[in-house]
Amino acid sequence: MRPERRAVDAHRLVGVRRRPGTRRAMPARGWDVDPAPTGSDDVEARLPRPRATAVLSPDLAALSAELAIAGARARARAAADRRAAPDPAFAWSLRALLLGTSGSATPPDAGLVPLRPSVPPPGARLFDRVAAPRWTALTAASILAFAAIGMTTPPVAPAAPQAHLVGVVGVTLTHAGHAGAARIGSPVVRDDRVSVAAGGAATLVIGPSEIRLAGGASIEIERIDPDEVAIIQRAGRAWYRVAPATAGSFTVRAATVSWTTGAAAFDLARVALGGGRERLTTVAIEGSLRFDGPDLAGSLAEGRRASVTVGDELPDIAIGDVTRVDLADPWLVENARLDAEGGRPLGIFSGLPAATNRPPTILGSAAAAVP
């Protein structure tokens, strides 16, 4: 620096600004902060400017302004680095969590550095707002590790529908090989058997569905899974009201024939004929269902009935419309009345006064055999 420049009083320096694209120096305002445009990240736009106290030569004024701006820029960036640095206690706890050494050592400067979020200074550039690269990489690795753990967690499987008895008159419940009198609220699980004495009755609830057993009926729980409910009808007569939300499918097996539906109401009676022969009679009250067995497959629509004789070399099946005898059957009428009280669709009994006006009767009083 030339001697005449050193002789200048420092208190008489003048700050200057240069217009973009020109070398001519322009007088600046005093020690203040120039307002930066909205959303600007330019640090230089907020640097303090020296107040003019005297008129200097353009070269000396420019040099003074550049030195002041350089000093302010260095101080601003140093402050940004200090405020963006990771907190030592947070860095130690994150390292201990990732390395599995939590609680095994004392964090650096424990109790001396308060935990606080890092706040970027006003006007900081993009790279001033990001913590040191090594801490950024460590944080990203931890986020990816926790995300991988979340992706490998198996989804929660849907729960199987619960089954229990809500109506019991002369009912025996066999569980794990031990038979005993059933009570209202008795739970029923897989491989359990529900048997009704002559003149008795039972109502079994499986999720939103119901099975009503007449006197002399016996059923066994084959499966109660989220995607399938399977019932074995050992004997007698049962009314099945299958709600759509019970499971993916609802199957009733009787002898060698299976009846499957997703949502329907149907009646199934199993009667022994002697000589190893049985007759299975099914009435589709509401909705439809499928049936299959050895050399047998088809569907039964609402308002249709099927009679299948099994025990011979080939099953004998007859399918036709519901008869007047079916519509007057006390057992069917009583179950239709119960469905009407529950607000369920009545199917073939829709619009029949007998379905809603008939006085209550004891379920199970109807004969188990179907003519």
Side-chain angles (χ1 to χ4, degrees), residues 40-70:
S40 174
D41 287 334
D42 190 359
V43 176
E44 297 184 10
R46 298 177 178 269
L47 294 177
R49 307 294 183 180
R51 181 179 301 277
T53 58
V55 177
L56 301 178
S57 65
D59 292 340
L60 185 59
L63 177 61
S64 174
E66 290 176 359
L67 291 176
I69 292 174

Side-chain angles (χ1 to χ4, degrees), residues 338-367:
L338 293 175
D339 279 357
E341 290 180 353
R344 293 166 172 174
L346 300 181
I348 62 174
F349 285 96
S350 298
L352 295 180
T356 55
N357 298 335
R358 181 182 177 88
T361 59
I362 300 177
L363 289 182
S365 60

